[in-house]
Amino acid sequence: MVNLNSPITELYRVGKTTSALLKKLGLDTVHDLLFYFPFRYDDFRHHAKISELLAGQNANIIGTIELIQNKKSARRRMYLTEALIADDTDTLKVIWFNQPFLTRSYKVGDKVSLAGRVSENYGSLAMISPVVEKIYSDDLIHTQGLIPNYHLTGNLTQKQIRFLIKEVIALADQEKDWLPIDIKERLRLLDLSKALRQIHFPKDLSEMTASRQRLGFTELFLRQLKAQMIKSELKSRRAIPIKFQEAETKRFVNSLPFKLTGAQRKSAWEILKDLEKTSPMSRLLEGDVGSGKTLVVILALLNVARNKKRSVLMVPTEILARQHFDHITRLLAPYDLKISLLTHSHKDPEGLKADIIIGTHALIQENIVFSDLALAVVDEQHRFGVSQRQRILDFGSTQERTPHFLSLTATPIPRSLALAIYGDLDLSIIDELPAGRKPILTRIITEDKRQAAYDFIRREIKAGRQAFVICPLIDESDRLGVKSVKAEHAKLDKDIFPELKVGLLHGKLKAAEKEKIMSDFLANRTQIIVSTSVIEVGVDVPNATMMIIEGAERFGLSSLHQFRGRVGRSDRQSYCFLFPSREEISNPRTVERLEALTRYQDGFSLAKIDLKLRGHGELYGTGQSGFPEFQIATLFDYENIKKAQAEASALINSDPRLEGHPLLREKLGEWEDQVHLE
Ligand code: ADP
Ligand code: MG
């Protein structure tokens, strides 16, 4: 008998290949499948007769195949499958691209259900690439009603995932509901089993909303619970107090080539005051890209080192670790401190004894024990979940001492929201950019303007500037024609800018190669760097004033905003050029999304718009919530965040170790393990 703990391989039609793909999605057991939520739904509730169809609407029709055949389109080098579908009112033309195998499964005379968008095709109506399923029973799961869509990988299909979930959905009844009953009643939330059924296969909008409400609340609640537990734990811990070195700090600040912004001063002050205490600091430093968080951190590092204590700075990528290392080494050169770099490829055996240790989160994973650790800083913390924070507390702590903790994020959220979502952290916000920064001129560039854009870039480079070019994928394997980074590099290096030096950067290079490429770019030995999205986080090359993004529609607005944040880091005018793929430039949704970037410079507005636009025409979109552990909840669920915080804090006050809630405690442990794998 299949049960919740059964491995997915025991299910019908799951072989080695499929289970390997499912594993990539984190799906090992039946339980995992049930908790793999759709990220959106197609709305095929509108069941129509063919004669009633209108162009532009989403509809579901049921009919019989009267004709189905493959054609090869010579010009566009692709297969077309054309079919005619009839019901008792009319006949409709249907076209699929590059799915010649359809004619093997679907034959003339088959009764089918189709779902998709109705469009104009040479003067008559047609459905282009609809989802199709044969009708065996009334139980249509792909084409009728609200149809769940899941994140996929490899060549897994929506149909496969739906089929598997459908097969095990009845087992949802065996999931134990760990949410305390009084909370459930107070907030009128669904039972877990019901919520699970309805999130996958909602009958109507109210079922979908209620299940999302319950499951989204749960995500927020677990996060808050964990946060509150860390907070109450921290109250009993002791930290090493760091005496504020006022004269030294002032001297350092005065030695900088620029003045600190007011917001940088205020944040630094808050941090330095916290460090003086004997209870551990637990603080978040929030500031949009380019706001100058690193400098504030350096002030803290300097103070700790002057107290003869140790700090670590952790970052998500090797490139960034190297860059911080170079930058901090340079700025703190006059102070005779030992600063070490610790990443997968740099393992300085003496490194752990340095005053300041900079490295990737490999540091955390390898369970290194630091002695005399007074301060732990995590940069770009949106890449880390709440329980990584727990681990940082664990590794740096001894019986007597817990390090002060500072977390840096560019997830740009307003104070009230940040306070609610990071329930356990105190907050410093840098809400001011360094003086003289100009908005980054952002333009969508169509193909006919490409040459002109290149000419512009060439002129800027001749004047001494540099450019980033970002491409979405590594290999030209994608049929969509998205620029691959290698092909793009070859093109720019050989054809477009033969007189310039063009570097290439992607995730498959060895660390030493990446470093060489970055240091060449930093020193302006290369003028253009073509990169995959590895560049996204943190790197700082103030002389680079142009950001060119190929296949721009492929990225979420938040990512695009992060890319753009790589330029505009000096008082020079900077530019961001968005090149959408040819076939996307006429898609109004793409254009609307990218236009938001041309209008808004701040990350919060963009994150909001992204969420709104993704939900467009679909019933829900998942934002890049910035929190790996959320499938449903987003930053904008303010009401829910407040509720979750209130409930979690009441519960922890009355039952700090959750002794009266064993199911919940178990769930929290499971949730942590899961988050650790992210
Ligand atoms: P982020 O907040 O994105 O981490 P960084 O700390 O990398 O930003 O700073 C961005 C750039 O701005 C760096 O080149 C840094 O040297 C510079 N910078 C920081 N503070 C100031 C300031 N007060 N005035 C001018 N430039 C500054
Ligand atoms: Mg940074």
Side-chain angles (χ1 to χ4, degrees), residues 611-625:
L611 199 69
K612 196 176 113 219
L613 292 182
R614 279 166 193 239
H616 222 80
E618 298 153 359
L619 284 161
Y620 273 97
T622 35
Q624 289 159 311
S625 63

Side-chain angles (χ1 to χ4, degrees), residues 58-129:
N58 276 331
N60 162 245
I61 60 163
I62 286 184
T64 307
I65 301 181
E66 295 206 319
L67 176 90
I68 183 160
Q69 64 185 21
N70 287 331
K71 279 188 182 172
K72 204 163 171 185
S73 148
R75 192 167 55 88
R76 300 178 64 185
R77 270 190 262 126
M78 58 162 84
Y79 281 101
L80 292 182
T81 305
E82 289 185 346
L84 285 178
I85 310 293
D87 67 7
D88 52 6
T89 65
D90 206 344
T91 310
L92 180 73
K93 183 168 174 178
V94 175
I95 301 169
W96 290 276
F97 299 105
N98 284 325
Q99 301 188 47
F101 47 84
L102 282 172
T103 53
R104 265 183 271 143
S105 337
Y106 295 91
K107 305 282 183 203
V108 170
D110 284 347
K111 197 164 186 222
V112 291
S113 175
L114 295 168
R117 207 174 161 76
V118 181
S119 49
E120 291 268 348
N121 184 267
Y122 298 107
S124 56
L125 295 182
M127 264 189 185
I128 312 289
S129 301

Side-chain angles (χ1 to χ4, degrees), residues 203-261:
K203 276 210 224 21
D204 52 32
L205 282 180
S206 66
E207 286 200 0
M208 183 186 75
T209 315
S211 64
R212 290 181 61 90
Q213 177 68 19
R214 151 75 209 233
L215 296 166
F217 174 82
T218 307
E219 290 173 352
L220 294 165
F221 178 68
L222 285 176
R223 187 177 208 287
Q224 289 287 350
L225 207 54
K226 186 68 213 168
Q228 300 284 345
M229 285 173 92
I230 295 176
K231 189 175 178 180
S232 87
E233 171 69 34
L234 274 179
K235 277 195 198 135
S236 64
R237 304 274 193 111
R238 290 253 151 280
I240 302 173
I242 298 300
K243 205 165 166 329
F244 176 37
Q245 308 289 311
E246 190 170 353
E248 192 99 69
T249 306
K250 282 205 170 125
R251 211 174 317 139
F252 174 76
V253 169
N254 290 333
S255 76
L256 294 170
F258 44 71
K259 272 182 70 182
L260 292 188
T261 62

Side-chain angles (χ1 to χ4, degrees), residues 20 45 61 79 85 109 135 206 261-263 287 303 349 383 388 408 420 461 493 541 568 572 581 648 659:
R45 283 174 299 165
I61 60 163
Y79 281 101
I85 310 293
I135 299 183
S206 66
T261 62
N303 272 275
R383 294 272 168 120
Q388 264 84 353
L408 272 46
I461 289 178
D493 192 32
V541 184
R572 295 214 174 79
S581 318
E659 271 143 4

Side-chain angles (χ1 to χ4, degrees), residues 293-294 324 379-380 538:
K293 296 183 287 292
T294 314
H324 275 316
D379 194 6
E380 309 293 347

Side-chain angles (χ1 to χ4, degrees), residues 258-261 264 287-295 324 327 379-380 408 410 430 434-435 437 538-542 565-566 569-570:
F258 44 71
K259 272 182 70 182
L260 292 188
T261 62
Q264 279 173 315
D288 209 343
V289 278
S291 60
K293 296 183 287 292
T294 314
L295 216 79
H324 275 316
H327 183 192
D379 194 6
E380 309 293 347
L408 272 46
I430 308 187
R437 293 283 164 84
V539 297
D540 185 37
V541 184
R566 297 306 114 222
R569 295 179 156 250
S570 67

